[in-house]
Amino acid sequence: MTPTVDSVAVPPRGHRVRQTIEQLRERILGGEWPVGGRIPTEPQLVAALGVGRNTVREAVRALVHAGVLECRQGSGTYVVSTDELAPVVARRLTDDRMAEVIEVRRAFEVEAARLAALRRTPEDLAALDAALATREAAWRSGRVAEFVEADAALHTAVVAAAHNGMLAELYASVGTALRSTVAHAMGDALEPERYVDHGRLVAAIRDGDPARAAIEAGAFLEPPSGA
């Protein structure tokens, strides 16, 4: 979900601050200031946007509060997300809430699988096959971090095949939480008893069977050991 002016805390300075937040947001979403990159200094922003220092300062502070920007002492202000929901989810993610995270994953992924079975295109199926092959190769490598990323990529491909833009945006917002549940389930090593076959899920989507796809998507998302 992309950040909107209404979704961040805007100080009472008013219309100019809102306009400045929107201008900053547009440059971030447009890729002028990519995630991980540093935005211009305060004087540079004042000159570029044609507003006062206080207005720039308050707009930047609002986006910092939203989790889109991060101020680093002695270094500058950096873009850390294009999505204000992701940092909120990350802050709320703790071990004692892992069961809740898995329940949220289940809500998203079961419906995504059902829709994907109804809407998948040949391109979607090719992407799913490639993601599944990468996941299998990552498992055989024995490297936990590599497998976690490959598993997340496969689930993301399923969501993409659902062709629901809002669902895709919301799912992207819980990406960190998604990876955390997989890492939590895997532990420090990829043990055979923790392996979950996702081939049946991809097959159900390929066969255009929404009921079976939903069942397969939900079968491995049972707290506390879903992966």
Side-chain angles (χ1 to χ4, degrees):
M1 181 178 293
T2 53
T4 63
V5 173
D6 291 336
S7 67
V8 298
V10 180
R13 183 170 292 272
H15 186 61
R16 281 181 299 172
V17 174
R18 287 181 175 274
Q19 282 187 323
T20 304
I21 291 172
E22 183 62 26
Q23 287 177 295
L24 296 175
R25 171 181 170 270
E26 287 175 357
R27 297 190 182 206
I28 291 168
L29 295 179
E32 183 176 343
W33 304 330
V35 173
R38 185 172 60 184
I39 70 170
T41 64
E42 187 176 281
Q44 289 172 329
L45 289 175
V46 168
L49 302 177
V51 295
R53 294 176 70 94
N54 287 340
T55 299
V56 167
R57 194 168 298 155
E58 291 179 13
V60 168
R61 188 180 299 126
L63 290 175
V64 168
H65 180 76
V68 175
L69 298 177
E70 178 182 82
C71 292
R72 300 175 187 173
Q73 188 66 33
S75 180
T77 302
Y78 290 77
V79 180
V80 293
S81 176
T82 58
D83 178 354
E84 79 276 12
L85 183 57
V88 174
V89 173
R91 286 195 296 269
R92 293 175 65 86
L93 178 61
T94 58
D95 288 343
D96 63 347
R97 304 192 71 169
M98 195 60 67
E100 292 184 10
V101 175
I102 293 173
E103 288 173 356
V104 171
R105 277 193 63 190
R106 183 184 177 93
F108 283 139
E109 293 181 15
V110 169
E111 179 62 10
R114 188 187 73 80
L115 291 174
L118 295 171
R119 301 173 178 175
R120 80 283 185 275
T121 65
E123 291 76 18
D124 293 327
L125 293 176
L128 287 168
D129 286 339
L132 180 62
T134 299
R135 181 181 185 271
E136 295 301 303
W139 177 269
R140 291 192 298 271
S141 77
R143 292 185 287 273
V144 175
E146 183 178 329
F147 177 76
V148 168
E149 289 301 318
D151 185 78
L154 174 58
H155 290 294
T156 300
V158 172
V159 173
H163 294 280
N164 181 310
M166 184 174 293
L167 176 60
E169 289 185 7
L170 288 169
Y171 191 73
S173 296
V174 299
T176 298
L178 184 160
R179 288 163 175 79
S180 295
T181 60
V182 178
H184 185 268
M186 292 299 104
D188 296 328
L190 300 179
E191 303 293 345
E193 62 271 16
R194 293 176 180 151
Y195 175 77
V196 178
D197 179 17
H198 284 3
R200 292 191 298 272
L201 169 60
V202 173
I205 293 172
R206 174 178 290 103
D207 293 344
D209 189 332
R212 183 157 58 95
I215 290 171
E216 291 294 341
F220 49 87
L221 286 172
E222 295 293 341
S225 58

Short mmCIF file of all heavy atoms in Angstrom, two decimals, residues 88-136:
data_model
loop_
_atom_site.label_atom_id
_atom_site.label_comp_id
_atom_site.label_asym_id
_atom_site.label_seq_id
_atom_site.Cartn_x
_atom_site.Cartn_y
_atom_site.Cartn_z
N VAL A 88 5.04 -0.51 10.16
CA VAL A 88 4.13 -0.72 11.28
C VAL A 88 4.02 -2.21 11.59
O VAL A 88 4.09 -2.64 12.75
CB VAL A 88 2.73 -0.14 10.96
CG1 VAL A 88 1.73 -0.50 12.05
CG2 VAL A 88 2.81 1.36 10.79
N VAL A 89 3.88 -3.02 10.55
CA VAL A 89 3.79 -4.46 10.74
C VAL A 89 5.08 -4.98 11.36
O VAL A 89 5.07 -5.80 12.27
CB VAL A 89 3.51 -5.17 9.40
CG1 VAL A 89 3.59 -6.69 9.57
CG2 VAL A 89 2.14 -4.77 8.87
N ALA A 90 6.22 -4.50 10.84
CA ALA A 90 7.51 -4.96 11.36
C ALA A 90 7.67 -4.63 12.83
O ALA A 90 8.20 -5.44 13.61
CB ALA A 90 8.65 -4.33 10.55
N ARG A 91 7.22 -3.44 13.25
CA ARG A 91 7.34 -3.06 14.65
C ARG A 91 6.47 -3.93 15.55
O ARG A 91 6.80 -4.17 16.71
CB ARG A 91 6.96 -1.58 14.83
CG ARG A 91 8.00 -0.60 14.34
CD ARG A 91 7.73 0.80 14.88
NE ARG A 91 6.48 1.34 14.40
CZ ARG A 91 6.39 2.08 13.30
NH1 ARG A 91 7.44 2.32 12.55
NH2 ARG A 91 5.22 2.57 12.92
N ARG A 92 5.36 -4.40 15.04
CA ARG A 92 4.43 -5.20 15.84
C ARG A 92 4.79 -6.68 15.84
O ARG A 92 4.19 -7.47 16.58
CB ARG A 92 3.01 -5.01 15.32
CG ARG A 92 2.46 -3.61 15.52
CD ARG A 92 1.11 -3.44 14.88
NE ARG A 92 0.10 -4.28 15.51
CZ ARG A 92 -0.59 -3.94 16.58
NH1 ARG A 92 -0.37 -2.78 17.16
NH2 ARG A 92 -1.50 -4.75 17.09
N LEU A 93 5.75 -7.06 15.00
CA LEU A 93 6.09 -8.47 14.88
C LEU A 93 7.01 -8.90 16.01
O LEU A 93 8.15 -8.47 16.10
CB LEU A 93 6.78 -8.72 13.53
CG LEU A 93 7.24 -10.16 13.28
CD1 LEU A 93 6.05 -11.10 13.28
CD2 LEU A 93 7.99 -10.24 11.96
N THR A 94 6.52 -9.74 16.88
CA THR A 94 7.31 -10.31 17.96
C THR A 94 7.01 -11.80 18.04
O THR A 94 6.01 -12.28 17.51
CB THR A 94 6.96 -9.66 19.31
OG1 THR A 94 5.56 -9.83 19.57
CG2 THR A 94 7.29 -8.17 19.30
N ASP A 95 7.90 -12.53 18.70
CA ASP A 95 7.73 -13.98 18.77
C ASP A 95 6.40 -14.39 19.38
O ASP A 95 5.79 -15.38 18.98
CB ASP A 95 8.88 -14.60 19.59
CG ASP A 95 10.20 -14.58 18.83
OD1 ASP A 95 10.16 -14.39 17.60
OD2 ASP A 95 11.25 -14.73 19.46
N ASP A 96 5.91 -13.62 20.37
CA ASP A 96 4.67 -14.01 21.02
C ASP A 96 3.43 -13.69 20.18
O ASP A 96 2.31 -14.03 20.56
CB ASP A 96 4.56 -13.37 22.41
CG ASP A 96 4.51 -11.85 22.36
OD1 ASP A 96 4.81 -11.28 21.29
OD2 ASP A 96 4.20 -11.24 23.39
N ARG A 97 3.64 -13.05 19.02
CA ARG A 97 2.53 -12.77 18.11
C ARG A 97 2.65 -13.56 16.81
O ARG A 97 1.93 -13.29 15.86
CB ARG A 97 2.46 -11.27 17.81
CG ARG A 97 2.34 -10.41 19.05
CD ARG A 97 1.99 -9.00 18.74
NE ARG A 97 0.61 -8.88 18.26
CZ ARG A 97 0.00 -7.72 18.11
NH1 ARG A 97 0.62 -6.60 18.38
NH2 ARG A 97 -1.24 -7.67 17.67
N MET A 98 3.56 -14.53 16.78
CA MET A 98 3.79 -15.28 15.55
C MET A 98 2.53 -15.99 15.09
O MET A 98 2.26 -16.08 13.88
CB MET A 98 4.93 -16.28 15.76
CG MET A 98 5.49 -16.86 14.48
SD MET A 98 6.19 -15.59 13.38
CE MET A 98 7.59 -15.02 14.34
N ALA A 99 1.74 -16.52 16.03
CA ALA A 99 0.51 -17.20 15.64
C ALA A 99 -0.44 -16.25 14.92
O ALA A 99 -1.10 -16.62 13.95
CB ALA A 99 -0.18 -17.80 16.88
N GLU A 100 -0.50 -14.99 15.35
CA GLU A 100 -1.36 -14.01 14.70
C GLU A 100 -0.86 -13.71 13.29
O GLU A 100 -1.67 -13.55 12.35
CB GLU A 100 -1.40 -12.71 15.51
CG GLU A 100 -2.11 -12.85 16.85
CD GLU A 100 -2.21 -11.52 17.58
OE1 GLU A 100 -1.90 -10.48 16.96
OE2 GLU A 100 -2.59 -11.52 18.76
N VAL A 101 0.45 -13.62 13.13
CA VAL A 101 1.02 -13.36 11.81
C VAL A 101 0.66 -14.50 10.86
O VAL A 101 0.30 -14.27 9.69
CB VAL A 101 2.55 -13.19 11.90
CG1 VAL A 101 3.15 -13.05 10.50
CG2 VAL A 101 2.89 -11.97 12.73
N ILE A 102 0.75 -15.73 11.33
CA ILE A 102 0.41 -16.88 10.49
C ILE A 102 -1.06 -16.84 10.10
O ILE A 102 -1.43 -17.15 8.96
CB ILE A 102 0.76 -18.19 11.20
CG1 ILE A 102 2.28 -18.30 11.35
CG2 ILE A 102 0.22 -19.39 10.43
CD1 ILE A 102 2.74 -19.47 12.20
N GLU A 103 -1.92 -16.42 11.03
CA GLU A 103 -3.34 -16.32 10.71
C GLU A 103 -3.59 -15.27 9.62
O GLU A 103 -4.43 -15.44 8.74
CB GLU A 103 -4.13 -15.97 11.97
CG GLU A 103 -4.23 -17.14 12.95
CD GLU A 103 -4.86 -16.72 14.27
OE1 GLU A 103 -5.15 -15.52 14.45
OE2 GLU A 103 -5.04 -17.60 15.13
N VAL A 104 -2.84 -14.16 9.69
CA VAL A 104 -2.97 -13.13 8.66
C VAL A 104 -2.48 -13.66 7.31
O VAL A 104 -3.10 -13.44 6.27
CB VAL A 104 -2.19 -11.86 9.07
CG1 VAL A 104 -2.14 -10.86 7.91
CG2 VAL A 104 -2.85 -11.21 10.28
N ARG A 105 -1.34 -14.36 7.33
CA ARG A 105 -0.84 -14.98 6.10
C ARG A 105 -1.90 -15.90 5.50
O ARG A 105 -2.14 -15.89 4.29
CB ARG A 105 0.42 -15.80 6.40
CG ARG A 105 1.71 -15.05 6.44
CD ARG A 105 2.88 -16.02 6.42
NE ARG A 105 2.92 -16.80 5.19
CZ ARG A 105 3.72 -17.85 4.99
NH1 ARG A 105 4.54 -18.25 5.94
NH2 ARG A 105 3.71 -18.49 3.83
N ARG A 106 -2.52 -16.69 6.36
CA ARG A 106 -3.53 -17.64 5.88
C ARG A 106 -4.69 -16.90 5.21
O ARG A 106 -5.16 -17.29 4.14
CB ARG A 106 -4.03 -18.49 7.04
CG ARG A 106 -5.04 -19.56 6.66
CD ARG A 106 -5.56 -20.29 7.88
NE ARG A 106 -6.56 -21.26 7.50
CZ ARG A 106 -6.33 -22.54 7.23
NH1 ARG A 106 -5.09 -23.00 7.32
NH2 ARG A 106 -7.29 -23.36 6.87
N ALA A 107 -5.12 -15.81 5.83
CA ALA A 107 -6.23 -15.04 5.26
C ALA A 107 -5.88 -14.54 3.86
O ALA A 107 -6.71 -14.60 2.94
CB ALA A 107 -6.57 -13.87 6.18
N PHE A 108 -4.66 -14.05 3.69
CA PHE A 108 -4.24 -13.54 2.38
C PHE A 108 -4.00 -14.68 1.39
O PHE A 108 -4.47 -14.63 0.25
CB PHE A 108 -2.95 -12.73 2.52
CG PHE A 108 -3.14 -11.35 3.08
CD1 PHE A 108 -2.23 -10.83 4.00
CD2 PHE A 108 -4.20 -10.56 2.70
CE1 PHE A 108 -2.39 -9.55 4.51
CE2 PHE A 108 -4.37 -9.28 3.20
CZ PHE A 108 -3.46 -8.78 4.12
N GLU A 109 -3.24 -15.67 1.80
CA GLU A 109 -2.73 -16.66 0.85
C GLU A 109 -3.78 -17.67 0.40
O GLU A 109 -3.73 -18.14 -0.75
CB GLU A 109 -1.52 -17.38 1.45
CG GLU A 109 -0.33 -16.44 1.62
CD GLU A 109 0.90 -17.13 2.18
OE1 GLU A 109 0.94 -18.38 2.18
OE2 GLU A 109 1.83 -16.42 2.62
N VAL A 110 -4.72 -17.99 1.26
CA VAL A 110 -5.78 -18.91 0.84
C VAL A 110 -6.64 -18.27 -0.25
O VAL A 110 -6.93 -18.88 -1.29
CB VAL A 110 -6.64 -19.35 2.04
CG1 VAL A 110 -7.89 -20.08 1.57
CG2 VAL A 110 -5.83 -20.24 2.97
N GLU A 111 -7.04 -17.02 -0.03
CA GLU A 111 -7.84 -16.33 -1.04
C GLU A 111 -7.03 -16.08 -2.31
O GLU A 111 -7.55 -16.19 -3.42
CB GLU A 111 -8.38 -15.02 -0.49
CG GLU A 111 -9.23 -14.20 -1.45
CD GLU A 111 -10.50 -14.92 -1.90
OE1 GLU A 111 -10.83 -15.98 -1.32
OE2 GLU A 111 -11.16 -14.42 -2.82
N ALA A 112 -5.75 -15.75 -2.15
CA ALA A 112 -4.90 -15.52 -3.32
C ALA A 112 -4.80 -16.78 -4.16
O ALA A 112 -4.88 -16.72 -5.40
CB ALA A 112 -3.51 -15.07 -2.88
N ALA A 113 -4.63 -17.92 -3.52
CA ALA A 113 -4.54 -19.18 -4.26
C ALA A 113 -5.84 -19.49 -4.99
O ALA A 113 -5.84 -19.94 -6.15
CB ALA A 113 -4.18 -20.31 -3.31
N ARG A 114 -6.96 -19.24 -4.32
CA ARG A 114 -8.27 -19.49 -4.95
C ARG A 114 -8.44 -18.61 -6.19
O ARG A 114 -8.84 -19.10 -7.26
CB ARG A 114 -9.38 -19.20 -3.94
CG ARG A 114 -10.78 -19.60 -4.41
CD ARG A 114 -11.83 -19.14 -3.44
NE ARG A 114 -12.02 -17.69 -3.51
CZ ARG A 114 -12.75 -17.09 -4.45
NH1 ARG A 114 -13.36 -17.79 -5.40
NH2 ARG A 114 -12.88 -15.77 -4.46
N LEU A 115 -8.12 -17.32 -6.05
CA LEU A 115 -8.24 -16.41 -7.19
C LEU A 115 -7.24 -16.76 -8.29
O LEU A 115 -7.55 -16.65 -9.48
CB LEU A 115 -8.04 -14.97 -6.73
CG LEU A 115 -9.13 -14.38 -5.84
CD1 LEU A 115 -8.72 -13.00 -5.34
CD2 LEU A 115 -10.46 -14.32 -6.57
N ALA A 116 -6.05 -17.16 -7.90
CA ALA A 116 -5.02 -17.50 -8.89
C ALA A 116 -5.47 -18.67 -9.76
O ALA A 116 -5.21 -18.69 -10.97
CB ALA A 116 -3.71 -17.83 -8.19
N ALA A 117 -6.15 -19.64 -9.15
CA ALA A 117 -6.64 -20.79 -9.92
C ALA A 117 -7.68 -20.36 -10.95
O ALA A 117 -7.82 -21.00 -12.00
CB ALA A 117 -7.22 -21.83 -8.97
N LEU A 118 -8.38 -19.29 -10.67
CA LEU A 118 -9.42 -18.79 -11.58
C LEU A 118 -8.88 -17.84 -12.64
O LEU A 118 -9.43 -17.74 -13.73
CB LEU A 118 -10.51 -18.06 -10.77
CG LEU A 118 -11.33 -18.91 -9.80
CD1 LEU A 118 -12.20 -17.99 -8.93
CD2 LEU A 118 -12.20 -19.91 -10.55
N ARG A 119 -7.76 -17.16 -12.33
CA ARG A 119 -7.33 -16.05 -13.17
C ARG A 119 -5.94 -16.22 -13.77
O ARG A 119 -5.50 -15.35 -14.54
CB ARG A 119 -7.36 -14.76 -12.34
CG ARG A 119 -8.72 -14.41 -11.78
CD ARG A 119 -8.65 -13.21 -10.84
NE ARG A 119 -9.96 -12.83 -10.32
CZ ARG A 119 -10.16 -11.88 -9.42
NH1 ARG A 119 -9.12 -11.20 -8.94
NH2 ARG A 119 -11.37 -11.61 -9.00
N ARG A 120 -5.24 -17.28 -13.45
CA ARG A 120 -3.84 -17.40 -13.88
C ARG A 120 -3.74 -17.39 -15.40
O ARG A 120 -4.60 -17.90 -16.12
CB ARG A 120 -3.17 -18.63 -13.28
CG ARG A 120 -3.48 -19.97 -13.98
CD ARG A 120 -4.84 -20.51 -13.62
NE ARG A 120 -5.08 -21.83 -14.19
CZ ARG A 120 -5.53 -22.07 -15.39
NH1 ARG A 120 -5.70 -21.06 -16.23
NH2 ARG A 120 -5.75 -23.29 -15.80
N THR A 121 -2.67 -16.77 -15.86
CA THR A 121 -2.36 -16.69 -17.29
C THR A 121 -1.18 -17.61 -17.58
O THR A 121 -0.51 -18.09 -16.65
CB THR A 121 -1.97 -15.26 -17.68
OG1 THR A 121 -0.74 -14.92 -17.01
CG2 THR A 121 -3.06 -14.27 -17.27
N PRO A 122 -0.88 -17.86 -18.83
CA PRO A 122 0.32 -18.65 -19.14
C PRO A 122 1.59 -18.03 -18.56
O PRO A 122 2.48 -18.76 -18.11
CB PRO A 122 0.34 -18.64 -20.68
CG PRO A 122 -1.10 -18.51 -21.07
CD PRO A 122 -1.70 -17.60 -20.04
N GLU A 123 1.65 -16.71 -18.55
CA GLU A 123 2.82 -16.04 -17.97
C GLU A 123 2.90 -16.28 -16.47
O GLU A 123 3.98 -16.48 -15.92
CB GLU A 123 2.75 -14.54 -18.26
CG GLU A 123 2.93 -14.14 -19.72
CD GLU A 123 1.70 -14.40 -20.57
OE1 GLU A 123 0.59 -14.58 -20.00
OE2 GLU A 123 1.83 -14.43 -21.81
N ASP A 124 1.74 -16.27 -15.81
CA ASP A 124 1.70 -16.55 -14.37
C ASP A 124 2.20 -17.96 -14.09
O ASP A 124 2.97 -18.18 -13.14
CB ASP A 124 0.28 -16.41 -13.83
CG ASP A 124 -0.24 -14.99 -13.85
OD1 ASP A 124 0.57 -14.06 -13.68
OD2 ASP A 124 -1.45 -14.81 -14.05
N LEU A 125 1.75 -18.91 -14.89
CA LEU A 125 2.16 -20.30 -14.68
C LEU A 125 3.66 -20.47 -14.88
O LEU A 125 4.32 -21.21 -14.14
CB LEU A 125 1.38 -21.22 -15.62
CG LEU A 125 -0.12 -21.33 -15.34
CD1 LEU A 125 -0.81 -22.19 -16.40
CD2 LEU A 125 -0.38 -21.90 -13.94
N ALA A 126 4.21 -19.78 -15.86
CA ALA A 126 5.65 -19.84 -16.09
C ALA A 126 6.40 -19.26 -14.89
O ALA A 126 7.42 -19.81 -14.44
CB ALA A 126 6.03 -19.09 -17.35
N ALA A 127 5.88 -18.15 -14.34
CA ALA A 127 6.50 -17.54 -13.17
C ALA A 127 6.41 -18.46 -11.96
O ALA A 127 7.37 -18.58 -11.17
CB ALA A 127 5.84 -16.20 -12.87
N LEU A 128 5.29 -19.12 -11.79
CA LEU A 128 5.11 -20.05 -10.67
C LEU A 128 6.06 -21.24 -10.80
O LEU A 128 6.67 -21.67 -9.81
CB LEU A 128 3.66 -20.54 -10.61
CG LEU A 128 2.64 -19.51 -10.10
CD1 LEU A 128 1.22 -20.01 -10.37
CD2 LEU A 128 2.84 -19.25 -8.62
N ASP A 129 6.18 -21.77 -11.99
CA ASP A 129 7.09 -22.90 -12.21
C ASP A 129 8.53 -22.50 -11.89
O ASP A 129 9.28 -23.25 -11.26
CB ASP A 129 6.99 -23.40 -13.65
CG ASP A 129 5.71 -24.17 -13.92
OD1 ASP A 129 5.11 -24.67 -12.94
OD2 ASP A 129 5.31 -24.27 -15.09
N ALA A 130 8.92 -21.32 -12.34
CA ALA A 130 10.28 -20.85 -12.09
C ALA A 130 10.51 -20.63 -10.60
O ALA A 130 11.57 -20.99 -10.06
CB ALA A 130 10.54 -19.56 -12.86
N ALA A 131 9.53 -20.03 -9.92
CA ALA A 131 9.66 -19.78 -8.49
C ALA A 131 9.71 -21.08 -7.70
O ALA A 131 10.48 -21.21 -6.74
CB ALA A 131 8.50 -18.92 -8.00
N LEU A 132 8.91 -22.06 -8.12
CA LEU A 132 8.92 -23.35 -7.45
C LEU A 132 10.27 -24.04 -7.63
O LEU A 132 10.83 -24.61 -6.68
CB LEU A 132 7.80 -24.24 -8.00
CG LEU A 132 7.67 -25.64 -7.38
CD1 LEU A 132 7.38 -25.54 -5.88
CD2 LEU A 132 6.58 -26.43 -8.10
N ALA A 133 10.82 -23.98 -8.84
CA ALA A 133 12.13 -24.60 -9.10
C ALA A 133 13.23 -23.92 -8.27
O ALA A 133 14.11 -24.60 -7.72
CB ALA A 133 12.46 -24.51 -10.59
N THR A 134 13.14 -22.62 -8.15
CA THR A 134 14.13 -21.88 -7.34
C THR A 134 14.01 -22.27 -5.88
O THR A 134 15.01 -22.43 -5.18
CB THR A 134 13.92 -20.37 -7.51
OG1 THR A 134 14.11 -20.01 -8.87
CG2 THR A 134 14.90 -19.58 -6.64
N ARG A 135 12.78 -22.41 -5.41
CA ARG A 135 12.56 -22.82 -4.02
C ARG A 135 13.13 -24.20 -3.75
O ARG A 135 13.78 -24.44 -2.72
CB ARG A 135 11.06 -22.80 -3.72
CG ARG A 135 10.68 -23.18 -2.28
CD ARG A 135 9.17 -23.15 -2.11
NE ARG A 135 8.76 -23.39 -0.74
CZ ARG A 135 8.53 -24.60 -0.23
NH1 ARG A 135 8.70 -25.69 -0.99
NH2 ARG A 135 8.15 -24.73 1.03
N GLU A 136 12.92 -25.12 -4.68
CA GLU A 136 13.45 -26.48 -4.50
C GLU A 136 14.98 -26.47 -4.49
O GLU A 136 15.61 -27.16 -3.68
CB GLU A 136 12.93 -27.39 -5.62
CG GLU A 136 11.43 -27.61 -5.60
CD GLU A 136 10.98 -28.23 -4.29
OE1 GLU A 136 11.48 -29.32 -3.94
OE2 GLU A 136 10.13 -27.61 -3.60
#
